[in-house]
Amino acid sequence: EVQLVESGGGLVKPEGSLRLTCAASGYSFAQYDMNWVRQAPGKGLEWVSSITTSSHYIYYADSVKGRFTISRDNARNSLYLQMNSLRAEDTAVYYCAREVGVALRFAHSDIWGQGTMVTVSS
Amino acid sequence: QSVLTQPPSASGTPGQRVTISCSGSSSNIGSNTVNWYQQLPGTAPKLLIYGNNQRPSGVPDRFSGSKSGTSASLAISGLQSEDEADYYCAAWDDSPNGRVFGGGTKLTVL
Protein backbone atom coordinates (compact mmCIF):
# COMPACT_ATOMS: atom_id res chain seq x y z
CA GLU A 1 0.00 0.00 0.00
CA VAL A 2 1.29 3.44 -0.93
CA GLN A 3 1.52 5.46 2.26
CA LEU A 4 2.95 8.68 3.69
CA VAL A 5 3.26 9.09 7.45
CA GLU A 6 4.24 12.40 9.02
CA SER A 7 5.78 12.74 12.46
CA GLY A 8 7.62 15.29 14.57
CA GLY A 9 4.85 17.74 15.31
CA GLY A 10 4.18 19.14 18.74
CA LEU A 11 4.10 22.22 20.93
CA VAL A 12 7.00 24.63 20.56
CA LYS A 13 7.66 28.13 21.86
CA PRO A 14 7.95 31.13 19.51
CA GLU A 15 11.42 31.34 17.95
CA GLY A 16 11.87 27.63 18.58
CA SER A 17 12.66 24.89 16.08
CA LEU A 18 11.06 21.63 15.00
CA ARG A 19 11.90 18.99 12.40
CA LEU A 20 9.10 17.16 10.63
CA THR A 21 9.60 13.80 8.95
CA CYS A 22 7.49 12.16 6.27
CA ALA A 23 8.10 8.42 5.86
CA ALA A 24 7.13 6.99 2.49
CA SER A 25 6.35 3.36 1.81
CA GLY A 26 4.84 1.18 -0.91
CA TYR A 27 6.43 2.96 -3.87
CA SER A 28 9.77 4.12 -5.25
CA PHE A 29 10.21 7.32 -3.24
CA ALA A 30 13.22 8.50 -5.22
CA GLN A 31 11.19 8.79 -8.42
CA TYR A 32 8.71 11.37 -7.18
CA ASP A 33 8.83 15.07 -6.35
CA MET A 34 7.41 15.92 -2.94
CA ASN A 35 5.53 18.76 -1.23
CA TRP A 36 4.73 20.11 2.21
CA VAL A 37 1.32 21.75 2.58
CA ARG A 38 -0.11 23.17 5.79
CA GLN A 39 -3.54 24.07 7.12
CA ALA A 40 -4.03 26.46 10.03
CA PRO A 41 -6.98 25.65 12.34
CA GLY A 42 -10.22 26.46 10.56
CA LYS A 43 -8.40 27.80 7.50
CA GLY A 44 -7.63 26.66 3.97
CA LEU A 45 -4.68 24.83 2.46
CA GLU A 46 -1.38 26.67 2.10
CA TRP A 47 1.53 25.33 0.07
CA VAL A 48 4.81 25.46 2.03
CA SER A 49 7.59 23.92 -0.07
CA SER A 50 8.43 21.56 -2.93
CA ILE A 51 11.50 19.47 -3.72
CA THR A 52 12.32 17.55 -6.87
CA THR A 53 13.53 13.96 -6.99
CA SER A 54 17.26 14.65 -6.77
CA SER A 55 16.83 17.79 -4.63
CA HIS A 56 18.04 19.79 -7.61
CA TYR A 57 15.11 22.20 -7.48
CA ILE A 58 13.62 23.50 -4.23
CA TYR A 59 10.89 26.09 -3.81
CA TYR A 60 9.43 27.84 -0.78
CA ALA A 61 6.43 29.99 -0.02
CA ASP A 62 7.41 33.56 0.84
CA SER A 63 5.89 33.09 4.29
CA VAL A 64 8.53 30.48 5.25
CA LYS A 65 11.51 31.42 3.06
CA GLY A 66 14.67 31.79 5.11
CA ARG A 67 13.17 29.97 8.11
CA PHE A 68 12.18 26.53 6.78
CA THR A 69 14.35 24.02 4.92
CA ILE A 70 13.00 21.10 2.94
CA SER A 71 15.20 18.08 2.29
CA ARG A 72 14.94 14.41 1.44
CA ASP A 73 16.91 11.21 1.92
CA ASN A 74 16.06 8.86 -0.93
CA ALA A 75 17.98 6.02 0.69
CA ARG A 76 15.76 6.29 3.78
CA ASN A 77 12.54 6.99 1.81
CA SER A 78 12.07 10.11 3.89
CA LEU A 79 11.15 13.76 3.41
CA TYR A 80 11.98 16.40 6.00
CA LEU A 81 10.99 19.93 6.94
CA GLN A 82 13.32 21.78 9.28
CA MET A 83 11.42 24.68 10.80
CA ASN A 84 13.34 27.43 12.58
CA SER A 85 12.32 30.78 14.09
CA LEU A 86 8.78 29.52 14.47
CA ARG A 87 5.95 32.00 14.85
CA ALA A 88 2.40 31.72 16.12
CA GLU A 89 1.15 31.95 12.55
CA ASP A 90 3.02 28.74 11.70
CA THR A 91 0.53 26.83 13.86
CA ALA A 92 -1.09 24.33 11.53
CA VAL A 93 -1.47 20.74 10.49
CA TYR A 94 1.43 19.93 8.16
CA TYR A 95 0.83 17.44 5.36
CA CYS A 96 3.38 15.86 3.07
CA ALA A 97 2.18 14.92 -0.41
CA ARG A 98 3.54 13.00 -3.37
CA GLU A 99 3.65 14.83 -6.68
CA VAL A 100 2.89 13.15 -9.99
CA GLY A 101 3.72 14.87 -13.26
CA VAL A 102 6.43 15.56 -15.81
CA ALA A 103 7.26 18.77 -13.95
CA LEU A 104 5.91 20.58 -10.90
CA ARG A 105 4.07 23.01 -13.19
CA PHE A 106 1.90 20.18 -14.45
CA ALA A 107 1.90 17.97 -11.38
CA HIS A 108 -0.74 17.02 -8.88
CA SER A 109 -0.63 15.67 -5.33
CA ASP A 110 -2.04 12.18 -5.57
CA ILE A 111 -1.08 10.80 -2.16
CA TRP A 112 -1.28 12.73 1.12
CA GLY A 113 -0.22 11.84 4.63
CA GLN A 114 -2.56 12.11 7.59
CA GLY A 115 -0.82 15.27 8.81
CA THR A 116 1.05 16.26 11.95
CA MET A 117 0.01 19.17 14.16
CA VAL A 118 2.47 21.94 14.97
CA THR A 119 1.48 24.41 17.68
CA VAL A 120 3.60 27.49 18.30
CA SER A 121 2.73 29.06 21.62
CA SER A 122 4.39 30.33 24.76
CA GLN B 1 -5.83 36.48 0.61
CA SER B 2 -5.51 33.48 -1.70
CA VAL B 3 -3.97 33.80 -5.15
CA LEU B 4 -6.77 31.71 -6.64
CA THR B 5 -10.30 32.97 -5.96
CA GLN B 6 -13.12 30.60 -5.04
CA PRO B 7 -16.55 31.35 -3.61
CA PRO B 8 -16.47 30.59 0.14
CA SER B 9 -19.64 28.55 0.01
CA ALA B 10 -21.96 26.65 -2.32
CA SER B 11 -25.04 24.57 -1.76
CA GLY B 12 -27.50 22.30 -3.50
CA THR B 13 -30.14 19.69 -2.89
CA PRO B 14 -29.64 15.97 -3.52
CA GLY B 15 -29.63 15.19 -7.22
CA GLN B 16 -28.84 18.75 -8.25
CA ARG B 17 -25.84 19.95 -10.24
CA VAL B 18 -23.46 22.38 -8.57
CA THR B 19 -20.47 24.23 -9.98
CA ILE B 20 -17.57 25.80 -8.11
CA SER B 21 -15.44 28.41 -9.84
CA CYS B 22 -11.75 29.15 -9.47
CA SER B 23 -10.29 32.35 -10.86
CA GLY B 24 -6.59 32.99 -11.34
CA SER B 25 -4.21 34.76 -13.68
CA SER B 26 -1.93 34.20 -16.64
CA SER B 27 0.95 33.10 -14.41
CA ASN B 28 -0.95 30.25 -12.78
CA ILE B 29 -4.18 28.90 -14.30
CA GLY B 30 -3.43 30.57 -17.62
CA SER B 31 -0.10 28.73 -17.96
CA ASN B 32 -0.42 25.52 -15.98
CA THR B 33 -2.81 22.74 -15.18
CA VAL B 34 -5.49 22.95 -12.49
CA ASN B 35 -6.17 20.32 -9.85
CA TRP B 36 -9.09 19.99 -7.47
CA TYR B 37 -9.05 18.46 -4.00
CA GLN B 38 -11.86 17.35 -1.73
CA GLN B 39 -11.43 17.53 2.02
CA LEU B 40 -13.95 15.83 4.27
CA PRO B 41 -14.12 17.08 7.86
CA GLY B 42 -11.14 15.98 9.93
CA THR B 43 -9.37 14.24 7.07
CA ALA B 44 -6.49 14.90 4.69
CA PRO B 45 -7.25 16.34 1.25
CA LYS B 46 -8.03 13.88 -1.51
CA LEU B 47 -7.27 14.37 -5.20
CA LEU B 48 -10.51 14.81 -7.14
CA ILE B 49 -9.52 16.21 -10.54
CA TYR B 50 -6.05 16.61 -12.08
CA GLY B 51 -4.74 18.03 -15.32
CA ASN B 52 -7.78 20.34 -15.61
CA ASN B 53 -10.30 17.59 -16.34
CA GLN B 54 -8.92 14.14 -15.50
CA ARG B 55 -10.43 11.94 -12.82
CA PRO B 56 -8.25 9.60 -10.78
CA SER B 57 -9.31 6.01 -10.57
CA GLY B 58 -12.12 5.62 -8.07
CA VAL B 59 -13.54 9.13 -8.39
CA PRO B 60 -17.14 8.96 -9.65
CA ASP B 61 -17.90 10.48 -13.05
CA ARG B 62 -20.34 12.81 -11.31
CA PHE B 63 -17.28 14.99 -10.76
CA SER B 64 -15.87 16.90 -13.72
CA GLY B 65 -13.43 19.73 -14.27
CA SER B 66 -12.89 22.32 -16.95
CA LYS B 67 -10.59 25.22 -17.66
CA SER B 68 -10.85 28.26 -19.90
CA GLY B 69 -8.22 30.96 -20.01
CA THR B 70 -7.45 31.99 -16.45
CA SER B 71 -10.46 30.34 -14.84
CA ALA B 72 -11.44 26.80 -13.96
CA SER B 73 -14.57 25.09 -12.72
CA LEU B 74 -15.52 21.97 -10.82
CA ALA B 75 -18.95 20.52 -11.53
CA ILE B 76 -20.72 17.97 -9.36
CA SER B 77 -23.83 16.39 -10.81
CA GLY B 78 -26.31 14.15 -9.02
CA LEU B 79 -25.36 15.74 -5.71
CA GLN B 80 -25.20 13.34 -2.78
CA SER B 81 -25.03 13.95 0.96
CA GLU B 82 -21.53 12.48 1.11
CA ASP B 83 -20.33 15.24 -1.23
CA GLU B 84 -20.59 17.69 1.66
CA ALA B 85 -16.98 18.80 2.06
CA ASP B 86 -14.49 21.57 1.38
CA TYR B 87 -13.20 21.83 -2.18
CA TYR B 88 -9.92 23.47 -3.19
CA CYS B 89 -8.50 24.34 -6.58
CA ALA B 90 -4.73 24.47 -7.04
CA ALA B 91 -2.20 25.31 -9.72
CA TRP B 92 1.48 26.09 -10.09
CA ASP B 93 2.31 29.78 -10.27
CA ASP B 94 5.27 30.75 -12.45
CA SER B 95 5.75 34.09 -10.74
CA PRO B 96 7.06 33.45 -8.20
CA ASN B 97 7.56 29.70 -8.56
CA GLY B 98 5.25 27.85 -6.22
CA ARG B 99 1.97 26.01 -5.82
CA VAL B 100 -1.07 28.19 -5.10
CA PHE B 101 -4.42 27.16 -3.69
CA GLY B 102 -7.83 28.70 -3.75
CA GLY B 103 -9.32 29.70 -0.42
CA GLY B 104 -11.65 26.73 -0.50
CA THR B 105 -15.38 26.33 -1.03
CA LYS B 106 -17.56 24.72 1.61
CA LEU B 107 -20.24 22.67 -0.11
CA THR B 108 -23.46 22.09 1.81
CA VAL B 109 -26.00 19.52 0.68
CA LEU B 110 -29.38 20.80 1.85
Side-chain angles (χ1 to χ4, degrees):
Chain A
E1 180 195 3
V2 176
Q3 198 173 10
L4 297 172
V5 178
E6 302 94 337
S7 60
L11 175 63
V12 61
K13 289 181 168 54
E15 293 303 313
S17 297
L18 214 52
R19 188 196 198 205
L20 305 184
T21 298
C22 170
S25 60
Y27 73 99
S28 182
F29 176 74
Q31 294 185 8
Y32 292 84
D33 299 338
M34 297 293 294
N35 274 348
W36 285 101
V37 174
R38 68 184 180 182
Q39 186 170 35
K43 302 296 184 182
L45 301 174
E46 180 189 14
W47 170 77
V48 173
S49 182
S50 296
I51 186 169
T52 55
T53 53
S54 59
S55 305
H56 189 70
Y57 292 101
I58 288 176
Y59 304 98
Y60 296 100
D62 286 345
S63 57
V64 307
K65 201 172 294 183
R67 301 187 299 122
F68 290 12
T69 301
I70 190 172
S71 62
R72 63 190 295 162
D73 185 336
N74 289 340
R76 295 178 182 272
N77 295 327
S78 293
L79 174 73
Y80 306 102
L81 186 67
Q82 177 66 43
M83 304 185 296
N84 298 330
S85 303
L86 282 161
R87 307 165 180 167
E89 53 265 36
D90 296 318
T91 294
V93 174
Y94 284 73
Y95 297 100
C96 62
R98 185 179 82 167
E99 291 294 288
V100 176
V102 295
L104 285 169
R105 296 179 65 195
F106 308 113
H108 55 275
S109 304
D110 70 331
I111 303 294
W112 296 66
Q114 85 289 350
T116 185
M117 182 72 203
V118 172
T119 302
V120 184
S121 174
S122 54
Chain B
Q1 204 80 334
S2 302
V3 174
L4 304 182
T5 302
Q6 296 180 237
S9 63
S11 64
T13 56
Q16 257 189 338
R17 184 176 187 268
V18 170
T19 62
I20 297 172
S21 61
C22 175
S23 177
S25 68
S26 58
S27 64
N28 43 64
I29 293 179
S31 304
N32 303 306
T33 53
V34 178
N35 307 312
W36 290 89
Y37 300 92
Q38 177 193 59
Q39 188 176 33
L40 298 171
T43 69
K46 169 193 166 186
L47 179 66
L48 200 62
I49 297 289
Y50 68 94
N52 302 326
N53 55 18
Q54 303 299 303
R55 274 179 290 106
S57 169
V59 172
D61 59 7
R62 302 187 295 106
F63 295 90
S64 63
S66 64
K67 179 182 121 171
S68 179
T70 58
S71 294
S73 289
L74 172 71
I76 309 171
S77 60
L79 202 59
Q80 299 180 4
S81 57
E82 55 260 41
D83 298 333
E84 197 160 275
D86 293 324
Y87 293 84
Y88 295 90
C89 59
W92 187 262
D93 199 315
D94 294 333
S95 177
N97 275 313
R99 176 72 47 76
V100 289
F101 285 95
T105 299
K106 184 175 185 62
L107 176 63
T108 301
V109 181
L110 302 169

